[in-house]
Amino acid sequence: MSFAPLGLHSDLLAVLKSLDYQIPTPIQQESIPEVLAGHDILAGAQTGTGKTAAFALPLIHRHLTRSEQNCEKVIRVLVLTPTRELAQQVHQSFVKYSQGLGFNSVVAYGGASINPQIEALNQGCDVLVATPGRLLELAIKELIDLSGIETLVLDEADRMLDMGFINDINRILKRLPAIHQTLFFSATFNDDVFALSKTLLKTPKLIEVAERNATAAKIEQRFYEVDSQRKAGMLAYLIGSNNWQQVLIFTRTKQAVDELVKELAKDGIKAAAVHGDKSQGARDRGLEEFKNGKVRALVATDVAARGLDIKELQYVVNFELPYNVEDYIHRIGRTGRAGQAGVAVSLISHKEKYLFDEVKKLTGEEFLMQWFPGFEPDFMAQEEADRGKRKPSKKSLRAKALGQDAGGKAKVNKRRRR
Ligand code: AMP
């Protein structure tokens, strides 16, 4: 099936032809007619399967077919995303799909100067792609008019409706016209969010083109049990011995990102870091250097887990499994995009095994944990760790009894007299 039977405007079909998009993906085939018909939708599809075009194309079509009297430049579409990087990417997709069609997309997110964003808005905006915090700032300062919003899109909807964002979303909803179309898109939906989203949508069409929480079909997933202190060495070995030229690595914390970047540098692997404590400039630079091959590895927290489309990225590594199990699907979904093949490797320490069980439960797949030759786990150490703290040595017990430190020196009261 080509795009033509979906009823999209001929100018839009010409753009798609120039992009060499020949066949709509399943999520596009199902969503485009529903969006055009004005329905609310709750759409789930695997990562990298063309969700952005699934909502962007019908919304641009609507703009192209608007009657002349109704052509005034007002913000009619609001797209909310959880991260700045995803906001930029969705904005770039709107720009790409509407090139030469007189449709303006503006992006607004925190951590960057608000003035150029206001200027861009003042030049006319059809779709505003924003993160919730910056949008509220603009709205509270009365710098934008949301009264013309016809469609609200929540990209990565389950993340947008979880504890971190729900209050902002509720505040934003109060500022929108009572009647508007709402579109929720995500690769994962947990049951709570599923229930909540139903209260926010009006008789929604449910579109699920794969089983809920499915991982993209062409991603090969490997799981290795390895001691945490040997993970960096094993990762460097994997990158070096397989000659991986572009690998995206996830850790759970900002600190772990910075430490791993240093560790990889010791092995001669140039890596950039992306996490929430980095300035937006540094985040953008890191991502850019990674995309254009200036650095071989990008080490990131889950700010880079959702939505990012890195062309032909083949390798994703979970240096640590995420606490939020849905993030596993989003992280590995940075590879295997648009039907390409990808490999996702997870390095799992003894303490993280319960997180591995959660991954199996969520995806419904019976993955096997493997050992990697040369990096097999040390079971003696594990047992010791399981037994709790190590027994104190005789030497340290004796020293304690004598009021000495373990080296045998008398302890001194370190408190200084004032
Ligand atoms: P998305 O899931 O929206 O991030 O899209 C994933 C990738 O698929 C992007 O690189 C898009 O440019 C590409 N893409 C989306 N729809 C199509 C299509 N119908 N044909 C070919 N490529 C597509």
Side-chain angles (χ1 to χ4, degrees), residues 197-210:
S197 60
K198 279 190 176 162
T199 67
L200 298 174
L201 298 168
K202 292 175 292 300
T203 51
K205 299 281 171 190
L206 179 63
I207 298 175
E208 284 186 292
V209 296

Side-chain angles (χ1 to χ4, degrees), residues 197-238:
S197 60
K198 279 190 176 162
T199 67
L200 298 174
L201 298 168
K202 292 175 292 300
T203 51
K205 299 281 171 190
L206 179 63
I207 298 175
E208 284 186 292
V209 296
E211 266 179 48
R212 229 195 298 166
N213 300 326
T215 50
K218 285 198 175 167
I219 305 176
E220 181 194 336
Q221 298 169 69
R222 297 184 207 148
F223 300 86
Y224 293 110
E225 184 176 2
V226 53
D227 295 330
S228 38
Q229 71 277 15
R230 300 201 69 198
K231 282 186 177 184
M234 176 165 162
L235 175 63
Y237 180 79
L238 283 174

Side-chain angles (χ1 to χ4, degrees), residues 3 21 23-25 28 48-52 96-97 309 311 337-338:
F3 277 96
Y21 281 21
I23 302 168
T25 65
Q28 292 164 1
T49 54
K51 285 197 291 295
T52 320
K96 180 167 83 175
Y97 298 140
D309 188 40
K311 282 260 164 309
R337 300 185 70 74

Side-chain angles (χ1 to χ4, degrees), residues 106-164:
V106 174
V107 63
Y109 47 79
S113 168
I114 200 166
N115 294 330
Q117 298 174 0
I118 297 168
E119 255 167 53
L121 283 165
N122 290 340
Q123 278 169 22
C125 166
D126 296 295
V127 54
L128 173 61
V129 185
T131 51
R134 178 52 55 96
L135 181 81
L136 273 175
E137 186 181 352
L138 289 163
I140 289 164
K141 291 181 179 165
E142 295 185 358
L143 294 165
I144 45 169
D145 177 10
L146 297 176
S147 64
I149 297 287
E150 293 171 357
T151 305
L152 168 70
V153 183
L154 292 196
D155 196 9
E156 303 300 338
D158 63 337
R159 178 80 185 91
M160 304 303 290
L161 299 176
D162 79 10
M163 298 300 280

Side-chain angles (χ1 to χ4, degrees), residues 47-48 216-219 313-314 332-343:
T47 52
K218 285 198 175 167
I219 305 176
L313 174 68
Q314 262 183 292
I332 71 163
R334 297 316 97 220
T335 179
R337 300 185 70 74
Q340 289 173 342
V343 176

